[in-house]
Amino acid sequence: EEQILERVEHICPLQEELQELLPPEGLAGKEEEWQREAKEKQLPVLTFLPESSGKKPEVQEDEIFSEARRISEEAEVEELIPLFYGEISKGQGALGASGVRVPGSAAETSGALRDKYGVSPVVMADGPAGLRLKRSYEVDLETGESVEEGLLASFEGGFFLTKEEEPRANTETWYQFCTAFPVGTLLAQSFDPELLREVGQAVAEEMKEFHVGWWLAPGMNIQRNPLCGRNFEYYSEDPLLSGIMALSILQGVQKNPGCGVTVKHLACNNQEDNRMGSDSILSERALREIYLRGFETAVRKGQPLCIMTSYNLVNGIHSANNRDLCTQAVRKEWGFRGLIMTDWTTTFPNGGSTAWKCIDAGNDLIMPGCRGDEESIRNAWENGDLTEQKIRECAARILNVVLRTEV
């Protein structure tokens, strides 16, 4: 019988006709045959009636949230715009490991408000099989800063970099070894939430050791196609298992103050080929019951600090520009209180997403950021496409999470 679980708005409408698969002809009569056979064999009857998920989670405005809102309302719009992309002013690269302060880290948030408001940047490290940092790097003994080694040093922990036989003059080699945990698929095969909470706790210990605020994991898309190049990051083809496993990792990490996860990639990231141009065309029922269900479990029950959007389009709209995903479903329906960031370079040429439309949709942070993002957001604000209210709301969400994770 029908049961109303929750009343929601329609999201991500189809932009083109979708031919859904139907059961083979002649299957309809099988149900009665199976029911008779079950009765003859006296199989037990198990009744399941879904229940409402209850009230939507309410946003609790604590002292940190109030401070974030105060700064976002007090600062000039010109001061807030740099918050919406990474620390590009400090030479942070756009490819590979873009971080500056922690060698091998993925990137950092902006420090534009550090001097005036004391808001320090947050370092992010990629995952999902543990922190992804450079195992060794050289430090200038006079400045105490790591020595820049060029673009090749950003890829695969410097694997392609030709090492000098002797260290540079007046430098010292430093090491940072991180644990290589099993990939998500293998962890999920344990069916052991407590084990994954222990893995999350272990990752958090290393986050604190290396001054990393946000771990860009867990990945929790549905393994729809065995050829998807990111399947190793993801848990399962089952949204229930994916949701519980991601929730367990999340809980293990975030019980440590200053440490946060970034669940990804929202949503329907099903292939790597043409990943910035592929369009995931699906019904709203399939979207909600399969592809979003794991994310919903993690958000409603665990409140990750961050969510990362995917490269692909969902029914004709890139995820980072998709208000139905970022605002309607994630925030209004699930009660998400954190920030949403893009995947890397999705607003670059041929990336598909538009920077100012990210902010308008509720995708707060553009990573790792480029000069074109600043121009896009500023022009949209000046010509009225992007309202000041949206800018301040976005800034408040970013500040709320940054202030919780300064390390």
Side-chain angles (χ1 to χ4, degrees):
E1 59 189 86
E2 277 195 353
Q3 177 79 1
I4 301 298
L5 301 183
E6 185 178 3
R7 295 192 182 276
V8 297
E9 299 290 334
H10 287 296
I11 60 172
C12 303
L14 286 164
Q15 305 296 311
E16 56 186 274
E17 185 178 354
L18 173 66
Q19 184 175 358
E20 296 195 53
L21 297 177
L22 299 175
E25 292 184 9
L27 194 63
K30 284 286 186 180
E31 181 181 353
E32 294 182 4
E33 178 184 333
W34 291 334
Q35 293 283 8
R36 285 196 303 271
E37 185 178 354
K39 189 173 182 179
E40 291 170 0
K41 294 183 177 181
Q42 298 182 333
L43 297 181
V45 177
L46 303 178
T47 302
F48 170 72
L49 186 62
E51 296 180 355
S52 171
S53 57
K55 294 182 179 180
K56 299 173 185 177
E58 296 181 0
V59 177
Q60 302 295 326
E61 186 160 325
D62 57 14
E63 290 183 6
I64 295 178
F65 194 94
S66 298
E67 175 65 6
R69 186 178 297 280
R70 181 191 70 80
I71 296 173
S72 69
E73 292 176 351
E74 179 181 310
E76 299 293 334
V77 170
E78 296 279 352
E79 296 177 302
L80 296 176
I81 289 177
L83 292 178
F84 303 151
Y85 41 82
E87 190 71 293
I88 56 177
S89 62
K90 298 293 179 62
Q92 176 174 272
L95 300 173
S98 305
V100 176
R101 289 190 294 158
V102 179
S105 59
E108 300 164 21
T109 59
S110 172
L113 298 184
R114 175 162 40 192
D115 293 340
K116 186 173 181 179
Y117 294 100
V119 180
S120 298
V122 174
V123 175
M124 312 171 210
D126 208 354
L131 299 185
R132 189 177 180 183
L133 302 175
K134 286 191 66 175
R135 289 185 289 273
S136 65
Y137 58 96
E138 290 183 34
V139 173
D140 188 310
L141 294 178
E142 291 184 3
T143 65
E145 297 180 353
S146 59
V147 177
E148 176 60 45
E149 295 183 288
L151 182 62
L152 288 179
S154 300
F155 292 101
E156 305 303 329
F159 179 82
F160 300 104
L161 186 65
T162 302
K163 292 290 185 182
E164 300 286 344
E165 293 186 5
E166 297 292 336
R168 294 177 177 85
N170 204 34
T171 65
E172 185 176 71
T173 300
W174 287 18
Y175 298 90
Q176 48 184 14
F177 292 103
C178 303
T179 305
F181 291 97
V183 297
T185 308
L186 184 56
L187 289 176
Q189 288 176 351
S190 72
F191 288 83
D192 188 342
E194 183 54 39
L195 172 64
L196 268 69
R197 279 189 281 271
E198 292 181 16
V199 171
Q201 172 64 43
V203 172
E205 293 295 334
E206 295 186 0
M207 292 173 69
K208 290 182 284 187
E209 176 74 18
F210 298 116
H211 304 286
V212 171
W214 302 340
W215 183 36
L216 303 181
M220 54 180 305
N221 283 89
I222 295 300
Q223 294 178 344
R224 179 178 180 272
N225 186 325
L227 298 180
C228 178
R230 283 179 161 177
N231 272 353
F232 72 95
E233 297 190 30
Y234 303 144
Y235 292 116
S236 172
E237 73 281 7
D238 176 10
L240 174 63
L241 180 59
S242 296
I244 292 175
M245 295 295 102
L247 174 64
S248 301
I249 287 282
L250 185 164
Q251 291 171 331
V253 172
Q254 292 195 177
K255 71 179 182 180
N256 298 270
C259 298
V261 303
T262 305
V263 297
K264 61 184 188 181
H265 303 89
L266 187 79
C268 308
N269 183 78
N270 299 324
Q271 67 182 56
E272 283 295 277
D273 183 38
N274 187 30
R275 63 185 184 178
M276 293 190 180
S278 64
D279 189 0
S280 300
I281 302 170
L282 70 169
S283 68
E284 183 177 357
R285 180 176 181 180
L287 176 65
R288 287 186 178 277
E289 294 185 3
I290 299 175
Y291 296 96
L292 293 183
R293 182 54 56 85
F295 288 96
E296 182 178 2
T297 298
V299 170
R300 283 187 184 271
K301 296 183 178 181
Q303 278 296 335
L305 288 187
C306 308
I307 293 175
M308 183 186 294
T309 49
S310 56
Y311 287 123
N312 55 281
L313 300 88
V314 177
N315 285 341
I317 302 176
H318 276 92
S319 295
N321 290 166
N322 197 318
R323 183 172 179 79
D324 281 0
L325 286 179
C326 297
T327 297
Q328 180 58 42
V330 173
R331 290 198 170 93
K332 292 185 177 180
E333 294 179 14
W334 305 347
F336 180 58
R337 301 190 292 271
L339 70 81
I340 301 177
M341 70 177 74
T342 69
D343 206 338
W344 268 227
T345 73
T346 188
T347 57
F348 279 47
N350 302 318
S353 300
T354 303
W356 77 264
K357 290 183 179 180
C358 290
I359 310 306
D360 188 61
N363 187 122
D364 312 294
L365 184 59
I366 300 168
M367 296 307 300
C370 66
R371 295 298 179 189
D373 297 335
E374 179 182 8
E375 182 180 358
S376 172
I377 296 169
R378 191 178 304 279
N379 288 344
W381 168 56
E382 291 175 350
N383 65 30
D385 289 331
L386 183 61
T387 66
E388 180 177 329
Q389 180 183 357
K390 288 280 183 67
I391 290 175
R392 295 193 183 279
E393 288 175 353
C394 177
R397 291 192 293 262
I398 294 174
L399 289 167
N400 177 47
V401 178
V402 168
L403 292 174
R404 295 176 192 278
T405 50
E406 290 181 306
V407 291

